[in-house]
Amino acid sequence: MESLERVYREEFGRVVASLTRRFGDLDVAEDAAGEALLVALGRWPVDGVPANPGGWLTTTATRKAIDRLRRESHRDAKHQAAHMLHDDTPHEATGVVEDDRLRLIFTCCHPALAPEARVALTLRLLGGLTVPEIAAAFLVPETTMGQRITRAKRKIAAAHIPYRVPCAADLPARVDAVLAVLYLVFNEGYLSTSGDAPLREDLTAEAIRLARILRGLLPDATEVTGLLALMLLIDARRTARLAPGGELITLAEQDRSRWDRAAIDEGHALVRECLALGRPGRYQLLAAINAVHTDARDVRDTDWSQIAALYTQLAGIDPNPIVALNRAVAIAELDGPEVALALVDALPLDAYHAWHATRADLLRRLGRSEEARAAYDRALGLSDNAAEAAYLSRRRDQLGG
């Protein structure tokens, strides 16, 4: 079963892209790929994983797509698409992006689509994330995200946008969307919004792997370097983030001797490389913030003034409420919880569990226990991560009463 899940995760995007090129319908491609998995679930545990699992899945999914097209319509155009099984067209060259997964991400991040639509669609087709997980990443309702993805599919079909292998000239126009995809996939692995596993190392490792490849393709793109540094510095703390009972351990409470110093050293070196070029961007500043955190051997040694300054700089180029929320956390360490709470309360983040968790902590520090308890309850109601819920519940219960 583990082998099947791994293979399917690796091959899913390739199968969907292949079927989309052949039949011109993303919905058919996704459904057929899903049906192929169900067949594999029944056969592979008995017959074993085939020598060419990707080819097996593609062939099975193609047959499923043909069956669906035949059932849905008898129009000549659909029959013609269904009979394209034997396509003798030579395979396209891989171009400058040799990694299959990264190439498909670049292919899906077409500039004709709105930036958020590119990211959402790519996360759905290639990142393996569900619509609820993507909606949580964008802080929008599940129905809104579902509609956004559907509209992106329709635009691709209506505008006849080709799923072609990107050439070198395509990369700069698409790199921002690709970075957003990698970061959101990493974040889903860092703190899962659904499922039984609070942390998903498969997602964080894949995002880091692809970022390394991307840096090799675009060595002068400082935001690519910044994202790689950011992910390394965050992932370096992974082994210290869960207690034996499964409760999340916050940065302030982690045993820093368990951090991966090799990853931290690499991340710090990449941050210094970015800073030397003097072209700060979102991911570089986030990496610099995490470099300050990981430079402190004890939480009491944290340079909060530098962190607040970096968040202020980040807000200047990426003015969004999440940045403001994190800046307020740093302000609480410098100017006290009352000043920070005023900043937090002004933010439009009522649907975001971390906003309520931050308010709860600030209210607790101010001795406003009843309000803190209500804020913890609200955060718990919005969090689907069991490890985080365990931490929030403990903090709430420590209020007493």
Side-chain angles (χ1 to χ4, degrees):
M1 183 65 69
E2 180 181 354
S3 176
L4 168 58
E5 291 176 351
R6 177 183 58 77
V7 170
Y8 187 71
R9 208 166 42 239
E10 293 173 351
E11 300 292 342
F12 180 78
R14 191 180 312 172
V15 172
V16 170
S18 174
L19 267 63
T20 301
R21 287 195 299 270
R22 182 165 295 173
F23 299 112
D25 191 320
L26 275 170
D27 289 324
V28 169
E30 284 186 286
D31 291 345
E35 290 181 32
L37 172 62
L38 293 177
V39 175
L41 283 169
R43 293 187 181 177
W44 289 8
V46 177
D47 301 335
V49 177
N52 182 6
W56 190 99
L57 285 169
T58 300
T59 300
T60 304
T62 300
R63 291 170 180 163
K64 295 294 182 182
I66 291 172
D67 290 343
R68 172 170 171 169
L69 290 172
R70 284 173 174 166
R71 288 195 305 268
E72 289 183 349
S73 174
H74 293 289
R75 290 180 299 175
D76 291 341
K78 288 286 181 91
H79 273 303
Q80 183 178 2
H83 286 296
M84 290 176 67
L85 173 62
H86 302 292
D87 185 359
D88 295 327
T89 303
H91 292 295
E92 291 184 87
T94 59
V96 293
V97 185
E98 295 184 356
D99 182 83
D100 288 337
R101 180 65 60 83
L102 188 60
R103 186 169 67 251
L104 286 169
I105 292 175
F106 265 107
T107 302
C108 287
C109 289
H110 197 285
L113 299 175
E116 287 190 349
R118 294 179 225 166
V119 174
L121 184 61
T122 309
L123 287 171
R124 179 73 184 94
L125 296 182
L126 302 176
L129 273 63
T130 65
V131 173
E133 289 170 344
I134 301 169
F138 280 91
L139 302 182
V140 298
E142 181 180 338
T143 53
T144 300
M145 184 52 64
Q147 292 168 357
R148 190 175 294 173
I149 292 173
T150 299
R151 283 196 299 270
K153 292 179 181 180
R154 288 174 179 167
K155 181 167 185 177
I156 288 172
H160 303 290
I161 295 173
Y163 274 80
R164 66 178 180 82
V165 175
C167 62
D170 292 327
L171 303 191
R174 305 188 188 192
V175 69
D176 286 347
V178 172
L179 291 177
V181 168
L182 297 185
Y183 189 38
L184 289 172
V185 169
F186 177 86
N187 280 340
E188 180 60 28
Y190 172 72
L191 189 64
S192 179
T193 57
S194 63
D196 297 330
L199 312 179
R200 292 188 57 185
E201 187 179 352
D202 59 323
L203 293 182
T204 55
E206 178 67 356
I208 291 173
R209 184 186 74 84
L210 294 175
R212 289 190 185 280
I213 296 172
L214 187 56
R215 183 168 183 258
L217 289 169
L218 300 169
D220 297 326
T222 51
E223 279 292 80
V224 175
T225 303
L227 179 60
L228 176 57
L230 172 61
M231 293 192 294
L232 286 170
L233 292 172
I234 293 174
D235 192 59
R237 308 194 297 260
R238 173 170 35 86
T239 56
R241 293 186 65 234
L242 285 183
E247 180 182 322
L248 185 71
I249 304 175
T250 62
L251 177 61
E253 299 174 323
Q254 287 173 15
D255 177 358
R256 300 186 176 211
S257 68
R258 299 182 61 197
W259 289 357
D260 184 342
R261 298 311 307 182
I264 289 173
D265 290 343
E266 182 182 1
H268 284 185
L270 293 174
V271 169
R272 289 193 295 271
E273 179 182 321
C274 290
L275 294 177
L277 296 173
R279 301 197 303 269
R282 176 175 181 246
Y283 298 113
Q284 296 171 69
L285 289 170
L286 286 171
I289 289 165
N290 278 272
V292 176
H293 279 301
T294 51
D295 192 46
R297 295 297 180 126
D298 187 283
V299 66
R300 292 168 294 186
D301 301 326
T302 304
D303 188 345
W304 290 106
S305 61
Q306 187 176 3
I307 290 174
L310 287 167
Y311 272 122
T312 299
Q313 187 177 2
L314 178 59
I317 62 174
D318 186 19
N320 73 71
I322 304 298
V323 173
L325 178 65
N326 285 300
R327 179 179 177 275
V329 173
I331 294 298
E333 300 300 324
L334 295 172
D335 300 328
E338 188 169 4
V339 174
L341 183 61
L343 297 173
V344 170
D345 282 344
L347 300 175
L349 292 172
D350 185 65
Y352 185 38
H353 76 279
W355 181 75
H356 292 281
T358 301
R359 287 191 75 249
D361 180 68
L362 295 172
L363 289 164
R364 179 188 58 78
R365 291 166 64 178
L366 289 168
R368 294 158 61 176
S369 298
E370 288 304 316
E371 294 173 85
R373 184 176 293 104
Y376 279 124
D377 285 338
R378 180 69 172 135
L380 282 163
L382 292 170
S383 176
D384 293 322
N385 186 283
E388 186 174 35
Y391 165 76
L392 292 171
S393 295
R394 177 174 63 82
R395 297 289 281 177
R396 179 196 59 191
D397 294 344
Q398 285 175 343
L399 293 169

